[in-house]
Amino acid sequence: MPKAVFKNTTIAQSDDTTLLEGNHYFPPETVNREYLVASDTRTVCPWKGTASYYHVVVGGEIDEDAAWYYPEPSAPAVSIKDHVAFCGKVEVIP
């Protein structure tokens, strides 16, 4: 079961991730939001749309912009709406 871990803390875990471009997108209900802090960062993917970001925070340690999601994805990416993917120091274990 894929899970996202930062500082020995599981941030997300699910049997039902969507694997897209090498990233596991976790369904929103499987993400422990107590470790996420909204970021002002936005990026644009030509085919998925505009991504919004979170900082991941555990025990006072911050991994900036280490999680992202598409609140209003384009039609081809609608299956990952609000799903959260991780990068940076967050380890995603397949």
Side-chain angles (χ1 to χ4, degrees):
M1 171 180 313
K3 65 181 177 177
V5 178
F6 180 58
K7 296 293 179 186
N8 295 317
T9 301
T10 299
I11 310 301
Q13 185 170 349
S14 177
D15 282 338
D16 192 27
T17 63
T18 299
L19 187 59
L20 187 62
E21 296 181 327
N23 297 300
H24 283 274
Y25 284 81
F26 291 82
E29 67 276 5
T30 67
V31 178
N32 191 338
R33 295 190 181 272
E34 80 176 85
Y35 301 112
L36 302 181
V37 176
S39 167
D40 291 332
T41 301
R42 303 289 182 268
T43 59
V44 177
C45 171
W47 76 272
K48 290 182 292 226
T50 300
S52 296
Y53 286 75
Y54 295 112
H55 304 308
V56 177
V57 182
V58 173
E61 297 220 24
I62 302 171
D63 192 2
E64 293 188 5
D65 296 332
W68 73 94
Y69 67 102
Y70 291 88
E72 296 179 25
S74 65
V78 73
S79 67
I80 60 166
K81 178 177 174 48
D82 294 327
H83 285 51
V84 181
F86 297 90
C87 64
K89 296 176 188 170
V90 177
E91 180 182 10
V92 177
I93 303 164

Coordinates of all heavy atoms in Angstrom, one line a residue:
M1 N 0.9 -1.2 0.0 CA 0.0 0.0 0.0 C 0.9 1.2 0.0 O 1.7 1.4 0.9 CB -0.9 0.0 1.2 CG -1.6 1.3 1.4 SD -2.7 1.3 2.9 CE -3.6 -0.2 2.9
P2 N 0.8 2.1 -1.0 CA 1.6 3.3 -1.0 C 1.3 4.2 0.2 O 0.2 4.3 0.7 CB 1.1 4.0 -2.3 CG 0.6 2.9 -3.2 CD -0.1 2.0 -2.2
K3 N 2.4 4.8 0.6 CA 2.3 5.8 1.7 C 3.4 6.9 1.6 O 4.4 6.7 1.0 CB 2.4 5.1 3.1 CG 3.7 4.5 3.5 CD 3.6 3.9 4.8 CE 4.8 3.1 5.3 NZ 4.7 2.6 6.6
A4 N 3.0 8.0 2.1 CA 3.9 9.2 2.1 C 4.4 9.4 3.5 O 3.6 9.5 4.4 CB 3.2 10.4 1.5
V5 N 5.7 9.5 3.7 CA 6.3 9.6 5.0 C 7.3 10.7 5.1 O 8.1 10.9 4.2 CB 7.0 8.3 5.4 CG1 7.7 8.3 6.8 CG2 6.1 7.1 5.3
F6 N 7.2 11.5 6.2 CA 8.1 12.6 6.5 C 8.5 12.5 8.0 O 7.6 12.5 8.8 CB 7.5 13.9 6.1 CG 8.4 15.1 6.4 CD1 9.7 15.2 5.8 CD2 8.0 16.2 7.2 CE1 10.5 16.3 6.0 CE2 8.8 17.3 7.4 CZ 10.1 17.3 6.8
K7 N 9.8 12.5 8.3 CA 10.2 12.4 9.7 C 9.6 11.3 10.4 O 9.1 11.4 11.6 CB 10.0 13.7 10.4 CG 10.7 14.9 9.8 CD 12.2 14.7 10.1 CE 13.0 15.8 9.5 NZ 14.5 15.5 9.6
N8 N 9.5 10.1 9.8 CA 9.0 8.9 10.4 C 7.5 9.0 10.7 O 6.9 8.2 11.5 CB 9.7 8.4 11.7 CG 11.1 8.0 11.4 OD1 11.4 7.3 10.4 ND2 12.1 8.5 12.2
T9 N 6.8 9.9 10.1 CA 5.4 10.1 10.3 C 4.6 9.9 9.0 O 5.0 10.5 7.9 CB 5.1 11.6 10.8 OG1 5.8 11.8 12.0 CG2 3.6 11.8 11.0
T10 N 3.6 9.1 9.0 CA 2.8 8.8 7.8 C 1.9 10.0 7.5 O 1.0 10.3 8.4 CB 2.0 7.5 7.9 OG1 3.0 6.4 8.1 CG2 1.2 7.3 6.7
I11 N 2.1 10.6 6.4 CA 1.2 11.8 6.0 C 0.0 11.3 5.2 O -1.0 11.9 5.3 CB 2.1 12.8 5.1 CG1 3.4 13.1 5.8 CG2 1.3 14.0 4.8 CD1 3.3 13.7 7.2
A12 N 0.2 10.3 4.4 CA -0.9 9.7 3.6 C -0.6 8.3 3.3 O 0.5 7.8 3.3 CB -1.0 10.5 2.2
Q13 N -1.7 7.5 3.2 CA -1.6 6.1 2.9 C -2.9 5.6 2.2 O -4.0 5.9 2.7 CB -1.4 5.3 4.2 CG -1.1 3.8 4.0 CD -0.7 3.2 5.3 OE1 -0.4 3.8 6.3 NE2 -0.6 1.9 5.3
S14 N -2.7 4.9 1.1 CA -3.9 4.4 0.4 C -3.6 3.3 -0.6 O -2.5 3.3 -1.2 CB -4.6 5.5 -0.4 OG -5.7 5.1 -1.1
D15 N -4.6 2.4 -0.7 CA -4.5 1.3 -1.8 C -5.0 1.9 -3.1 O -4.9 1.2 -4.1 CB -5.4 0.1 -1.4 CG -4.8 -0.8 -0.4 OD1 -3.6 -0.8 -0.2 OD2 -5.6 -1.5 0.3
D16 N -5.6 3.1 -3.1 CA -6.3 3.6 -4.2 C -5.6 4.9 -4.7 O -6.3 5.8 -5.1 CB -7.7 3.8 -3.8 CG -8.6 4.1 -5.0 OD1 -8.3 3.6 -6.1 OD2 -9.6 4.8 -4.9
T17 N -4.3 4.9 -4.8 CA -3.7 6.1 -5.4 C -3.8 6.0 -6.9 O -4.0 5.0 -7.5 CB -2.2 6.2 -5.0 OG1 -1.5 5.1 -5.6 CG2 -2.0 6.3 -3.5
T18 N -3.6 7.2 -7.6 CA -3.5 7.3 -9.0 C -2.1 7.6 -9.4 O -1.5 8.6 -8.9 CB -4.5 8.4 -9.6 OG1 -5.8 8.1 -9.2 CG2 -4.3 8.5 -11.1
L19 N -1.5 6.7 -10.1 CA -0.1 6.8 -10.5 C -0.1 7.6 -11.8 O -0.6 7.1 -12.8 CB 0.6 5.5 -10.6 CG 2.1 5.5 -10.9 CD1 2.9 6.3 -9.8 CD2 2.7 4.1 -11.0
L20 N 0.5 8.8 -11.8 CA 0.5 9.7 -13.0 C 1.9 10.3 -13.1 O 2.3 11.0 -12.1 CB -0.6 10.7 -12.8 CG -0.9 11.6 -14.0 CD1 -1.3 10.8 -15.2 CD2 -2.0 12.6 -13.7
E21 N 2.5 10.2 -14.2 CA 3.8 10.7 -14.5 C 4.8 10.4 -13.3 O 5.6 11.3 -12.9 CB 3.7 12.3 -14.7 CG 2.9 12.6 -15.9 CD 2.8 14.1 -16.2 OE1 2.8 14.9 -15.2 OE2 2.8 14.5 -17.3
G22 N 4.7 9.2 -12.8 CA 5.7 8.8 -11.8 C 5.3 9.2 -10.4 O 6.0 8.9 -9.4
N23 N 4.2 9.9 -10.2 CA 3.8 10.4 -8.9 C 2.5 9.7 -8.4 O 1.6 9.5 -9.2 CB 3.5 11.9 -8.9 CG 4.8 12.7 -9.2 OD1 5.8 12.6 -8.5 ND2 4.7 13.4 -10.3
H24 N 2.5 9.3 -7.1 CA 1.3 8.7 -6.6 C 0.4 9.9 -6.1 O 0.9 10.7 -5.3 CB 1.6 7.8 -5.4 CG 2.1 6.5 -5.8 ND1 1.3 5.4 -6.1 CD2 3.4 6.0 -5.9 CE1 2.0 4.4 -6.4 NE2 3.2 4.7 -6.3
Y25 N -0.8 10.0 -6.6 CA -1.8 11.0 -6.1 C -2.7 10.3 -5.1 O -3.4 9.4 -5.5 CB -2.6 11.6 -7.3 CG -1.7 12.6 -8.1 CD1 -0.8 12.1 -9.1 CD2 -1.9 13.9 -7.9 CE1 -0.1 13.1 -9.8 CE2 -1.1 14.9 -8.6 CZ -0.2 14.4 -9.6 OH 0.5 15.3 -10.3
F26 N -2.7 10.7 -3.9 CA -3.5 10.1 -2.8 C -4.9 10.8 -2.8 O -5.0 12.0 -2.8 CB -2.8 10.3 -1.5 CG -1.5 9.5 -1.3 CD1 -0.3 10.0 -1.9 CD2 -1.5 8.3 -0.7 CE1 0.9 9.3 -1.7 CE2 -0.3 7.6 -0.5 CZ 0.8 8.1 -1.1
P27 N -5.9 9.9 -2.7 CA -7.3 10.5 -2.5 C -7.3 11.4 -1.3 O -6.7 11.2 -0.3 CB -8.2 9.3 -2.3 CG -7.4 8.1 -2.9 CD -5.9 8.5 -2.7
P28 N -8.1 12.5 -1.4 CA -8.1 13.5 -0.3 C -8.4 12.9 1.1 O -7.8 13.4 2.1 CB -9.1 14.5 -0.8 CG -9.8 14.0 -2.0 CD -9.0 12.9 -2.5
E29 N -9.3 12.0 1.1 CA -9.7 11.4 2.4 C -8.6 10.5 3.1 O -8.7 10.2 4.2 CB -11.0 10.7 2.3 CG -11.0 9.4 1.5 CD -11.1 9.6 0.0 OE1 -11.2 10.8 -0.5 OE2 -11.2 8.6 -0.7
T30 N -7.5 10.2 2.4 CA -6.5 9.4 2.9 C -5.2 10.2 3.3 O -4.2 9.6 3.7 CB -6.0 8.3 1.9 OG1 -5.4 9.0 0.8 CG2 -7.2 7.5 1.4
V31 N -5.4 11.5 3.3 CA -4.3 12.4 3.6 C -4.5 13.0 5.0 O -5.6 13.5 5.3 CB -4.1 13.6 2.6 CG1 -3.0 14.5 3.0 CG2 -3.9 13.0 1.2
N32 N -3.5 12.9 5.9 CA -3.6 13.5 7.3 C -3.3 15.0 7.2 O -2.1 15.3 7.2 CB -2.7 12.7 8.2 CG -3.0 13.1 9.6 OD1 -3.5 14.1 9.9 ND2 -2.6 12.2 10.5
R33 N -4.3 15.8 7.1 CA -4.1 17.2 6.9 C -3.6 18.0 8.0 O -3.2 19.1 7.9 CB -5.5 17.8 6.4 CG -5.8 17.2 5.1 CD -7.0 17.9 4.4 NE -7.3 17.2 3.1 CZ -6.7 17.5 2.0 NH1 -5.8 18.5 1.9 NH2 -7.0 16.9 0.9
E34 N -3.5 17.4 9.2 CA -2.9 18.1 10.3 C -1.4 18.4 10.1 O -0.8 19.3 10.7 CB -3.0 17.3 11.6 CG -2.0 16.2 11.8 CD -2.2 15.5 13.2 OE1 -3.0 14.6 13.3 OE2 -1.4 15.9 14.1
Y35 N -0.8 17.7 9.1 CA 0.6 17.9 8.7 C 0.8 18.9 7.5 O 1.9 19.0 7.1 CB 1.3 16.6 8.5 CG 1.3 15.7 9.7 CD1 0.5 14.5 9.7 CD2 1.9 16.1 10.9 CE1 0.5 13.7 10.8 CE2 1.9 15.2 12.0 CZ 1.1 14.1 12.0 OH 1.1 13.3 13.1
L36 N -0.3 19.4 7.0 CA -0.2 20.2 5.8 C -0.6 21.7 6.1 O -1.5 21.9 6.9 CB -1.2 19.7 4.7 CG -1.0 18.3 4.3 CD1 -2.0 17.9 3.2 CD2 0.4 18.0 3.8
V37 N 0.2 22.6 5.6 CA 0.0 24.0 5.8 C -0.1 24.6 4.4 O 0.8 24.4 3.6 CB 1.1 24.7 6.6 CG1 0.8 26.2 6.7 CG2 1.1 24.1 8.0
A38 N -1.2 25.3 4.1 CA -1.3 25.9 2.7 C -0.2 26.8 2.4 O 0.4 27.6 3.2 CB -2.6 26.7 2.7
S39 N 0.2 26.8 1.1 CA 1.3 27.6 0.5 C 0.7 28.5 -0.5 O -0.3 28.2 -1.1 CB 2.4 26.7 -0.1 OG 3.2 27.4 -0.9
D40 N 1.4 29.6 -0.8 CA 0.9 30.5 -1.8 C 1.4 30.1 -3.2 O 1.0 30.7 -4.2 CB 1.4 32.0 -1.5 CG 0.7 32.6 -0.3 OD1 -0.4 32.2 0.0 OD2 1.4 33.4 0.3
T41 N 2.2 29.1 -3.3 CA 2.8 28.6 -4.5 C 1.8 28.0 -5.4 O 0.9 27.2 -5.0 CB 3.9 27.6 -4.3 OG1 4.9 28.2 -3.5 CG2 4.6 27.1 -5.6
R42 N 1.9 28.4 -6.7 CA 1.0 27.8 -7.8 C 1.9 27.5 -9.0 O 2.8 28.3 -9.2 CB -0.1 28.8 -8.2 CG -1.0 29.3 -7.1 CD -1.9 28.1 -6.6 NE -2.8 28.6 -5.6 CZ -2.6 28.6 -4.3 NH1 -1.5 28.1 -3.8 NH2 -3.5 29.0 -3.4
T43 N 1.7 26.5 -9.6 CA 2.4 26.2 -10.9 C 1.4 25.7 -11.9 O 0.3 25.3 -11.6 CB 3.5 25.1 -10.7 OG1 2.8 23.9 -10.3 CG2 4.6 25.5 -9.8
V44 N 1.7 25.8 -13.2 CA 0.8 25.4 -14.2 C 1.4 24.3 -15.1 O 2.5 24.4 -15.5 CB 0.5 26.6 -15.2 CG1 -0.4 26.2 -16.3 CG2 -0.1 27.8 -14.4
C45 N 0.6 23.2 -15.2 CA 1.0 22.1 -16.1 C 0.2 22.3 -17.3 O -1.1 22.6 -17.3 CB 0.6 20.8 -15.4 SG 0.8 19.4 -16.5
P46 N 0.8 22.2 -18.5 CA 0.1 22.4 -19.8 C -1.2 21.5 -19.9 O -2.1 21.9 -20.6 CB 1.1 22.1 -20.8 CG 2.4 22.1 -20.2 CD 2.2 21.8 -18.7
W47 N -1.2 20.3 -19.4 CA -2.3 19.5 -19.6 C -3.2 19.2 -18.3 O -4.3 18.8 -18.4 CB -1.9 18.2 -20.3 CG -1.3 17.1 -19.5 CD1 0.1 17.0 -19.2 CD2 -1.9 16.1 -18.8 NE1 0.3 15.9 -18.4 CE2 -0.9 15.3 -18.1 CE3 -3.2 15.6 -18.6 CZ2 -1.2 14.2 -17.3 CZ3 -3.5 14.5 -17.9 CH2 -2.5 13.8 -17.2
K48 N -2.6 19.4 -17.1 CA -3.4 19.1 -15.9 C -4.0 20.4 -15.3 O -5.0 20.3 -14.7 CB -2.5 18.5 -14.8 CG -2.1 17.1 -15.2 CD -1.3 16.4 -14.1 CE 0.0 17.1 -14.0 NZ 1.2 16.4 -13.9
G49 N -3.4 21.5 -15.6 CA -4.0 22.8 -15.1 C -3.1 23.4 -14.0 O -1.9 23.1 -14.0
T50 N -3.7 24.2 -13.1 CA -2.9 24.9 -12.1 C -2.9 24.1 -10.8 O -4.0 23.7 -10.3 CB -3.6 26.3 -11.8 OG1 -3.5 27.0 -13.0 CG2 -2.8 27.0 -10.7
A51 N -1.7 23.8 -10.3 CA -1.5 23.1 -9.0 C -1.3 24.1 -7.9 O -0.7 25.1 -8.0 CB -0.2 22.2 -9.1
S52 N -1.9 23.7 -6.8 CA -1.7 24.5 -5.5 C -0.9 23.6 -4.6 O -0.9 22.4 -4.7 CB -3.1 24.7 -4.8 OG -3.9 25.5 -5.6
Y53 N -0.2 24.2 -3.7 CA 0.8 23.5 -2.9 C 0.6 23.6 -1.4 O -0.1 24.5 -0.9 CB 2.2 24.1 -3.1 CG 2.8 23.6 -4.5 CD1 2.3 24.2 -5.7 CD2 3.7 22.6 -4.6 CE1 2.7 23.7 -6.9 CE2 4.2 22.1 -5.8 CZ 3.7 22.7 -6.9 OH 4.1 22.3 -8.2
Y54 N 1.1 22.7 -0.6 CA 1.2 22.7 0.8 C 2.6 22.5 1.3 O 3.4 21.8 0.6 CB 0.4 21.5 1.4 CG -1.0 21.4 1.2 CD1 -1.6 20.4 0.4 CD2 -1.9 22.2 1.8 CE1 -2.9 20.3 0.2 CE2 -3.3 22.1 1.6 CZ -3.8 21.1 0.8 OH -5.1 21.0 0.6
H55 N 2.9 23.1 2.4 CA 4.2 22.8 3.1 C 3.8 21.6 4.0 O 2.7 21.5 4.5 CB 4.6 23.9 4.0 CG 4.8 25.2 3.3 ND1 5.6 25.4 2.2 CD2 4.3 26.4 3.6 CE1 5.6 26.7 1.8 NE2 4.8 27.3 2.7
V56 N 4.8 20.6 4.2 CA 4.5 19.5 5.1 C 5.3 19.8 6.3 O 6.5 20.1 6.3 CB 5.0 18.2 4.4 CG1 4.9 17.0 5.4 CG2 4.3 17.9 3.1
V57 N 4.6 19.8 7.5 CA 5.2 20.1 8.8 C 5.0 19.0 9.8 O 3.9 18.6 10.0 CB 4.6 21.4 9.3 CG1 5.2 21.8 10.6 CG2 4.6 22.6 8.3
V58 N 6.1 18.5 10.3 CA 6.1 17.5 11.3 C 7.1 17.9 12.4 O 8.3 18.1 12.1 CB 6.4 16.1 10.8 CG1 6.6 15.0 11.9 CG2 5.4 15.6 9.7
G59 N 6.6 17.9 13.7 CA 7.5 18.2 14.8 C 8.3 19.5 14.6 O 9.5 19.5 15.0
G60 N 7.7 20.5 14.0 CA 8.4 21.8 13.8 C 9.3 21.8 12.6 O 9.8 22.9 12.3
E61 N 9.5 20.7 11.9 CA 10.3 20.7 10.7 C 9.4 20.8 9.5 O 8.4 20.2 9.4 CB 11.1 19.3 10.6 CG 12.0 19.2 11.8 CD 13.4 18.6 11.4 OE1 13.8 18.7 10.2 OE2 14.0 18.0 12.3
I62 N 9.9 21.7 8.6 CA 9.1 22.1 7.4 C 9.8 21.6 6.1 O 10.9 21.9 6.0 CB 8.9 23.6 7.4 CG1 8.2 24.1 8.6 CG2 8.0 24.0 6.1 CD1 8.1 25.6 8.8
D63 N 9.0 21.0 5.3 CA 9.4 20.7 3.9 C 8.5 21.5 3.0 O 7.4 21.2 2.8 CB 9.3 19.2 3.6 CG 10.0 18.8 2.3 OD1 10.6 19.7 1.7 OD2 9.9 17.6 2.0
E64 N 9.1 22.7 2.6 CA 8.3 23.7 1.8 C 7.8 23.1 0.5 O 8.6 22.5 -0.3 CB 9.1 24.9 1.7 CG 9.3 25.7 3.0 CD 9.9 27.0 2.8 OE1 10.1 27.5 1.6 OE2 10.3 27.6 3.8
D65 N 6.6 23.4 0.2 CA 6.0 23.0 -1.1 C 6.2 21.6 -1.5 O 6.4 21.2 -2.6 CB 6.5 24.0 -2.2 CG 6.1 25.4 -2.0 OD1 5.0 25.6 -1.4 OD2 6.8 26.3 -2.5
A66 N 6.1 20.7 -0.5 CA 6.4 19.3 -0.7 C 5.1 18.5 -1.1 O 5.2 17.3 -1.3 CB 7.0 18.7 0.5
A67 N 4.0 19.1 -1.1 CA 2.8 18.5 -1.5 C 2.0 19.4 -2.5 O 2.0 20.6 -2.3 CB 1.9 18.1 -0.3
W68 N 1.4 18.8 -3.4 CA 0.6 19.6 -4.4 C -0.7 18.8 -4.8 O -0.8 17.6 -4.6 CB 1.4 20.0 -5.6 CG 1.6 18.9 -6.6 CD1 0.9 18.6 -7.7 CD2 2.7 17.9 -6.6 NE1 1.5 17.5 -8.4 CE2 2.6 17.1 -7.7 CE3 3.8 17.7 -5.7 CZ2 3.5 16.0 -7.9 CZ3 4.7 16.7 -6.0 CH2 4.5 15.9 -7.1
Y69 N -1.6 19.6 -5.3 CA -2.9 19.1 -5.7 C -3.5 20.0 -6.8 O -3.1 21.1 -6.9 CB -3.9 18.9 -4.6 CG -4.3 20.2 -4.0 CD1 -5.6 20.7 -4.2 CD2 -3.5 20.9 -3.1 CE1 -6.0 21.9 -3.7 CE2 -3.9 22.1 -2.6 CZ -5.1 22.6 -2.8 OH -5.5 23.8 -2.3
Y70 N -4.5 19.5 -7.5 CA -5.2 20.3 -8.6 C -6.6 20.5 -8.1 O -7.4 19.6 -8.3 CB -5.1 19.5 -9.9 CG -3.7 19.5 -10.5 CD1 -2.8 18.5 -10.1 CD2 -3.3 20.5 -11.3 CE1 -1.5 18.5 -10.6 CE2 -2.0 20.5 -11.8 CZ -1.1 19.5 -11.4 OH 0.2 19.5 -11.9
P71 N -7.0 21.7 -7.6 CA -8.3 21.9 -7.2 C -9.3 22.0 -8.3 O -10.5 21.7 -8.2 CB -8.2 23.2 -6.4 CG -7.0 23.9 -6.9 CD -6.1 22.8 -7.3
E72 N -8.8 22.5 -9.5 CA -9.7 22.6 -10.7 C -8.9 22.1 -11.9 O -8.5 22.9 -12.8 CB -10.1 24.0 -10.9 CG -11.0 24.5 -9.7 CD -11.4 26.0 -9.9 OE1 -11.5 26.4 -11.1 OE2 -11.7 26.6 -8.9
P73 N -8.7 20.8 -12.0 CA -7.9 20.2 -13.1 C -8.6 20.3 -14.4 O -9.8 20.5 -14.5 CB -7.7 18.8 -12.7 CG -8.9 18.4 -11.9 CD -9.2 19.7 -11.1
S74 N -7.8 20.2 -15.5 CA -8.4 20.2 -16.8 C -9.2 18.9 -17.0 O -9.1 18.0 -16.2 CB -7.3 20.3 -17.8 OG -6.5 19.1 -17.7
A75 N -10.0 18.9 -18.0 CA -10.8 17.7 -18.3 C -10.0 16.4 -18.3 O -10.4 15.4 -17.7 CB -11.7 17.9 -19.5
P76 N -8.8 16.3 -19.0 CA -8.1 15.1 -19.0 C -7.6 14.6 -17.7 O -7.2 13.5 -17.5 CB -6.9 15.4 -20.0 CG -7.3 16.6 -20.8 CD -8.3 17.3 -19.9
A77 N -7.5 15.5 -16.7 CA -6.9 15.2 -15.4 C -8.0 15.2 -14.3 O -7.6 15.1 -13.1 CB -5.8 16.2 -15.1
V78 N -9.2 15.2 -14.6 CA -10.3 15.2 -13.6 C -10.2 14.1 -12.6 O -10.6 14.3 -11.5 CB -11.7 15.3 -14.3 CG1 -12.1 14.0 -14.9 CG2 -12.7 15.8 -13.3
S79 N -9.6 13.0 -12.9 CA -9.5 11.9 -12.0 C -8.6 12.2 -10.8 O -8.7 11.5 -9.8 CB -9.0 10.6 -12.7 OG -7.7 10.8 -13.1
I80 N -7.8 13.2 -10.9 CA -6.9 13.5 -9.7 C -7.4 14.8 -9.0 O -6.6 15.4 -8.2 CB -5.4 13.7 -10.1 CG1 -5.2 14.8 -11.2 CG2 -4.9 12.3 -10.6 CD1 -3.8 15.2 -11.4
K81 N -8.6 15.3 -9.3 CA -9.1 16.5 -8.6 C -8.9 16.3 -7.1 O -9.4 15.3 -6.5 CB -10.5 16.7 -8.9 CG -11.1 17.9 -8.2 CD -12.6 18.1 -8.6 CE -13.3 19.2 -7.9 NZ -12.6 20.5 -7.7
D82 N -8.2 17.3 -6.4 CA -8.0 17.3 -5.0 C -7.2 16.2 -4.4 O -6.9 16.1 -3.2 CB -9.4 17.4 -4.2 CG -10.1 18.7 -4.5 OD1 -9.4 19.7 -4.7 OD2 -11.3 18.7 -4.5
H83 N -6.7 15.3 -5.3 CA -5.7 14.3 -4.8 C -4.4 14.9 -4.5 O -4.0 15.9 -5.2 CB -5.6 13.2 -5.9 CG -6.8 12.2 -6.0 ND1 -8.0 12.7 -6.1 CD2 -6.8 10.9 -5.9 CE1 -8.9 11.6 -6.2 NE2 -8.1 10.6 -6.1
V84 N -3.7 14.4 -3.6 CA -2.4 15.0 -3.1 C -1.2 14.2 -3.5 O -1.2 13.0 -3.2 CB -2.4 15.3 -1.6 CG1 -1.1 16.0 -1.2 CG2 -3.6 16.2 -1.2
A85 N -0.2 14.8 -4.1 CA 1.1 14.1 -4.5 C 2.2 14.8 -3.6 O 2.0 15.9 -3.1 CB 1.3 14.2 -5.9
F86 N 3.3 14.1 -3.5 CA 4.4 14.5 -2.6 C 5.7 14.5 -3.3 O 5.9 13.7 -4.2 CB 4.4 13.7 -1.4 CG 3.2 13.7 -0.5 CD1 2.2 12.9 -0.7 CD2 3.1 14.7 0.5 CE1 1.0 12.9 0.0 CE2 1.9 14.8 1.2 CZ 0.9 13.9 1.0
C87 N 6.6 15.4 -2.9 CA 8.0 15.4 -3.4 C 8.9 15.9 -2.3 O 8.5 15.9 -1.1 CB 8.1 16.3 -4.6 SG 7.7 18.0 -4.3
G88 N 10.1 16.4 -2.6 CA 11.0 16.9 -1.6 C 11.5 15.9 -0.7 O 11.8 14.8 -1.1
K89 N 11.5 16.2 0.6 CA 12.0 15.2 1.6 C 10.9 14.2 2.0 O 11.2 13.3 2.8 CB 12.5 16.0 2.9 CG 13.6 16.9 2.6 CD 14.0 17.7 3.8 CE 15.1 18.8 3.4 NZ 15.3 19.7 4.5
V90 N 9.7 14.3 1.5 CA 8.7 13.4 1.8 C 9.0 12.1 0.9 O 9.1 12.2 -0.3 CB 7.3 13.9 1.5 CG1 6.2 12.8 1.7 CG2 7.0 15.2 2.4
E91 N 9.1 11.0 1.6 CA 9.4 9.8 0.9 C 8.0 9.1 0.6 O 7.2 8.9 1.5 CB 10.2 8.8 1.7 CG 10.5 7.5 1.0 CD 11.3 6.6 1.9 OE1 11.5 6.8 3.1 OE2 11.8 5.5 1.3
V92 N 7.8 8.8 -0.7 CA 6.7 8.0 -1.1 C 7.1 6.6 -1.3 O 8.0 6.3 -2.2 CB 6.0 8.6 -2.4 CG1 4.8 7.7 -2.8 CG2 5.5 10.0 -2.1
I93 N 6.5 5.7 -0.5 CA 6.9 4.3 -0.5 C 5.8 3.5 -1.3 O 4.6 3.5 -0.8 CB 7.0 3.7 0.9 CG1 8.1 4.5 1.7 CG2 7.4 2.2 0.9 CD1 8.1 4.3 3.1
P94 N 6.1 3.0 -2.5 CA 5.1 2.3 -3.3 C 4.5 1.1 -2.7 O 5.1 0.5 -1.8 CB 5.8 2.0 -4.6 CG 7.2 2.4 -4.5 CD 7.4 3.0 -3.1

